[in-house]
Amino acid sequence: MTTRATRTPRRRTVVALAVILSILAAFIVRLVDIQIVRADEHVTQSLEFISKGTPIYGDRGSIVDANGNVLAESVAVYDWNVDPKVMNLIDTDEKKPPTITWADAAQRIAEITGLDAETLRTGVEAAHAANPESQWFEIKKGLTAEQHIQLKELKAEGVPYLHFEERETRVYPNGAVAGNVVGFLDGTGTAQAGIEKMDDRCLAPTNGEESYRTGKDGVIIPGSETKTDAVDGGTVQLTINADLQWYMQQMIAEEAQAQGAQGGTVTVVEVKTGKIRAAAEWPTMDPNDLNAASQDGTLVSKLFSYPFEPGSTFKAVTAAAVMENGGVTMTSPTVSASSREKFDNGAVINDAFVHPTYQYTLAGALIDSSNVALSKFGTMVSPDVRYDYLQRFGVGESTIGFPSEANGLLHPTSDWDNQSLYTTTFGQYFTVTAPQLAGAYQAIANGGEKIGLSLIESCTAADGTVVTPDAPASEQIIQPQTAADLTRMLENVAVQGGNAERIQVPGYRVTSKTGTAQIEDGNGGYKQGVYYTSMVGFAPVDDPQYVVVVTLDQPTRITSSAATASAFQKAMTQTMKTYRVMPSSTPMDALLPKFE
């Protein structure tokens, strides 16, 4: 028999259990409602509170030379500032004097940053006096990691009103060395010129992101955090040799100024590969000092962007055309040429020097650089044939797709008039850039096989993956024997020409050809008495390794292409030394006759 005393606790237990089961059932029903019945609605509501979070920035990749020397890299720098309002509150608190007074702190900050302590102190105090609520005064931007650490230690010692912002900046450790090639970024970090722009795809990082969900009260929902790591940019390795580049920049700056020129360039190309080993110019830019470069007009590389009439350097191309299509050899037939002649169509052609009528061989026409003789040899083949050879040697096409690179200008033969019918035989009425000129002679030096120029060796991604560009196109544009004959004639130019003594490179057999180009005046004519001079050649003749091109813009001490002789000799000599090229081991063939 159950007594009232025992029934009461049991009833309470049943009631409590029923309440618990009811609450649990309510929770279950609510859970089913949230996760199943109204799941879509709740997901939609929750998405309204997703925060995009903060981006995670990757580092831009570095640019290095052929030997791994850093030419451009991204580093963290720090911008430090003072909170004048907090500084004043702490410095004037009589009840709790500061551990370090503002006067002492200003002195310490100045010692770390290289600023004047008095100027810093009075500046902050003046900012507070002008606006007591002001909480920002710039100390200095772009501080190094070492300075940053020292200021953080000072802050921890008892200077809480110091603050900083970290940012990435682009630095160029070698300054102006290859600055014209490397290029630069603008203030937003966007590539503007040079390799920075040309290979931005490799260099640019992929930014990541940290994101999370919050409730209506802004509290982060546990487990909602997501993180996508940033991927740093890759490292671009160039074909440039920084040491050779430095020498060439110093040398051409000295030579150009000695000749009273407005500028100069040196291009060095490896014969067997087409790789550009130096692309130096003066004046040039230092990417660390863009303001100066902007004022000097050196933000864009003139070496790649300035097309000029190549003049006599392209007489070798005319020679190739007539040797392969006009039955002409190095020594026969010959042409009669005086220093000034009027042709049947009314065109008048002059040589650069006065001389009697000579019976020129093709070799002699190149050695003496006779415009009249080349005009006669050149017109032994049709204009279309010569046009084809100019195209084969790269006129009118960019070399590497460098930003702002000029293609040069090649007029169709239908535009050639009575005068240009002849002037195109000796490098006028079309234009090239220095790299195009180097590419043309690379083909001659390489047995007639033209290999596209290159400036980028590889891109190494952040994970170590190395990507190399497609191999440059190659084409046999002239016969190997033609190239050999041209090489022999160009060596005779170096030995028998007017610059022979000034361009000798002891131990090496060298080829050379000069060019003196008139400069357009902007009104359809040419400037009087000023020229764009050039010299091109390769060495050693018995095993060609490197092509060197030197140009001078409007030299005034010597106005002819002889102005480039000293720079060419120095450039070729240094190139042989840099790459430890073996001296010539075979003697030169017999000298070619200039006249019949």
Side-chain angles (χ1 to χ4, degrees):
M1 179 177 178
T2 303
T3 65
R4 179 175 298 181
T6 58
R7 286 200 303 270
T8 299
R10 185 179 299 172
R11 185 178 296 113
R12 290 174 181 171
T13 301
V14 170
V15 171
L17 181 60
V19 170
I20 292 172
L21 290 175
S22 298
I23 294 173
L24 181 61
F27 273 115
I28 293 173
V29 170
R30 182 57 176 161
L31 186 61
V32 170
D33 177 67
I34 292 173
Q35 293 192 346
I36 299 176
V37 179
R38 302 174 63 188
D40 292 341
E41 178 183 347
H42 290 300
V43 168
T44 301
Q45 289 177 349
S46 67
L47 289 174
E48 295 176 0
F49 302 104
I50 291 179
S51 171
K52 291 184 178 180
T54 56
I56 303 173
Y57 296 105
D59 292 333
R60 187 173 179 83
S62 299
I63 299 174
V64 301
D65 82 335
N67 298 316
N69 298 307
V70 177
L71 300 174
E73 63 182 344
S74 293
V75 298
V77 294
Y78 306 88
D79 302 336
W80 278 81
N81 58 78
V82 172
D83 184 330
K85 180 179 179 179
V86 174
M87 179 280 294
N88 186 69
L89 289 173
I90 293 175
D91 206 49
T92 57
D93 190 342
E94 296 180 355
K95 295 181 179 179
K96 188 179 180 181
T99 305
I100 301 175
T101 65
W102 166 236
D104 291 339
Q107 182 63 42
R108 296 271 299 277
I109 293 169
E111 292 172 355
I112 293 170
T113 61
L115 298 174
D116 179 74
E118 183 64 20
T119 301
L120 174 62
R121 186 183 63 78
T122 57
V124 173
E125 292 172 0
H128 176 70
N131 179 11
E133 297 300 315
S134 173
Q135 293 188 275
W136 187 89
F137 181 89
E138 181 180 288
I139 297 176
K140 193 172 183 180
K141 299 179 70 173
L143 296 179
T144 65
E146 182 179 356
Q147 292 171 315
H148 171 67
I149 292 172
Q150 291 176 325
L151 287 177
K152 284 186 70 176
E153 291 174 349
L154 177 60
K155 178 182 174 76
E157 288 177 27
V159 189
Y161 42 81
L162 290 178
H163 304 284
F164 72 91
E165 292 181 359
E166 179 181 347
R167 60 183 172 85
E168 178 189 274
T169 190
R170 199 69 166 162
V171 296
Y172 303 87
N174 283 278
V177 176
N180 60 314
V181 173
V182 171
F184 62 94
L185 311 178
D186 66 12
T188 67
T190 303
Q192 297 297 307
I195 295 298
E196 293 277 26
K197 184 174 182 179
M198 183 177 174
D199 211 11
D200 188 54
R201 172 178 285 186
C202 173
L203 294 165
T206 301
N207 294 331
E209 184 182 70
E210 284 184 315
S211 61
Y212 47 85
R213 295 180 180 180
T214 63
K216 290 183 178 180
D217 56 0
V219 176
I220 296 176
I221 299 173
S224 68
E225 299 93 338
T226 61
K227 180 181 179 181
T228 303
D229 291 329
V231 179
D232 292 339
T235 297
V236 172
Q237 184 172 37
L238 305 183
T239 60
I240 292 288
N241 180 310
D243 292 337
L244 183 64
Q245 177 81 13
W246 176 87
Y247 174 86
M248 295 303 182
Q249 287 186 206
Q250 301 302 311
M251 183 273 293
I252 197 61
E254 294 172 1
E255 289 289 329
Q257 292 173 79
Q259 291 294 339
Q262 295 184 12
T265 72
V266 182
T267 308
V268 179
V269 169
E270 196 169 74
V271 169
K272 301 295 193 297
T273 64
K275 293 178 180 180
I276 299 173
R277 296 306 187 183
E281 60 187 281
W282 176 83
T284 191
M285 65 167 290
D286 181 348
N288 294 310
D289 189 0
L290 294 181
N291 289 333
S294 179
Q295 293 171 4
D296 294 342
T298 56
L299 287 174
V300 176
S301 170
K302 191 171 183 179
L303 185 145
F304 286 98
S305 64
Y306 182 75
F308 57 94
E309 291 185 348
S312 297
T313 57
F314 257 70
K315 287 175 179 174
V317 176
T318 299
V322 300
M323 291 172 75
E324 293 193 341
N325 299 275
V328 178
T329 69
M330 293 183 289
T331 57
S332 67
T334 60
V335 297
S336 173
S338 61
S339 55
R340 176 184 172 85
E341 292 194 20
K342 184 175 182 179
F343 288 84
D344 292 341
N345 66 358
V348 177
I349 301 298
N350 299 288
D351 280 349
F353 64 102
V354 177
H355 62 82
T357 299
Y358 291 133
Q359 201 67 28
Y360 270 113
T361 63
L362 181 60
L366 289 176
I367 293 167
D368 279 358
S369 202
S370 170
N371 296 337
V372 175
L374 258 294
S375 294
K376 293 186 175 182
F377 277 117
T379 49
M380 290 180 179
V381 297
S382 70
D384 287 338
V385 168
R386 288 194 283 120
Y387 180 91
D388 174 56
Y389 274 74
L390 291 173
Q391 280 193 318
R392 291 190 194 189
F393 278 86
V395 181
E397 294 183 0
S398 67
T399 57
I400 61 170
F402 194 79
S404 302
E405 180 178 359
N407 292 336
L409 179 62
L410 179 58
H411 297 278
T413 55
S414 58
D415 290 347
W416 294 10
D417 60 16
N418 290 354
Q419 193 74 14
S420 55
L421 174 68
Y422 298 103
T423 59
T424 47
T425 67
F426 51 85
Q428 292 185 8
Y429 198 58
F430 63 89
T431 61
V432 299
T433 61
Q436 286 174 325
L437 179 55
Y441 273 72
Q442 176 277 327
I444 298 172
N446 198 40
E449 182 186 6
K450 191 174 191 301
I451 299 175
L453 302 188
S454 60
L455 187 58
I456 295 175
E457 195 76 66
S458 65
C459 168
T460 302
D463 63 1
T465 302
V466 179
V467 178
T468 57
D470 294 336
S474 63
E475 180 183 2
Q476 192 75 32
I477 61 171
I478 56 174
Q479 299 169 14
Q481 186 57 53
T482 304
D485 289 345
L486 285 172
T487 298
R488 186 177 176 190
M489 289 191 288
L490 290 169
E491 183 179 16
N492 273 263
V493 173
V495 172
Q496 298 190 60
N499 296 302
E501 293 185 0
R502 285 175 286 181
I503 64 172
Q504 290 180 7
V505 179
Y508 298 90
R509 293 166 56 191
V510 178
T511 69
S512 75
K513 192 71 190 81
T514 59
T516 306
Q518 293 177 288
I519 300 174
E520 293 184 0
D521 61 8
N523 298 313
Y526 292 104
K527 296 180 179 179
Q528 295 298 312
V530 294
Y531 304 94
Y532 196 87
T533 63
S534 59
M535 184 176 287
V536 57
F538 51 86
V541 168
D542 43 345
D543 184 18
Q545 297 294 315
Y546 293 94
V547 174
V548 170
V549 176
V550 174
T551 72
L552 289 176
D553 184 5
Q554 303 177 52
T556 56
R557 191 171 73 84
I558 300 175
T559 58
S560 69
S561 54
T564 58
S566 174
F568 177 83
Q569 193 277 339
K570 292 177 181 178
M572 185 64 79
T573 299
Q574 187 62 36
T575 300
M576 296 297 104
K577 288 181 178 179
T578 297
Y579 290 104
R580 300 182 180 181
V581 177
M582 291 295 293
S584 296
S585 58
T586 58
M588 178 182 178
D589 293 329
L591 295 179
L592 293 170
K594 295 198 297 182
F595 316 117
E596 185 178 59

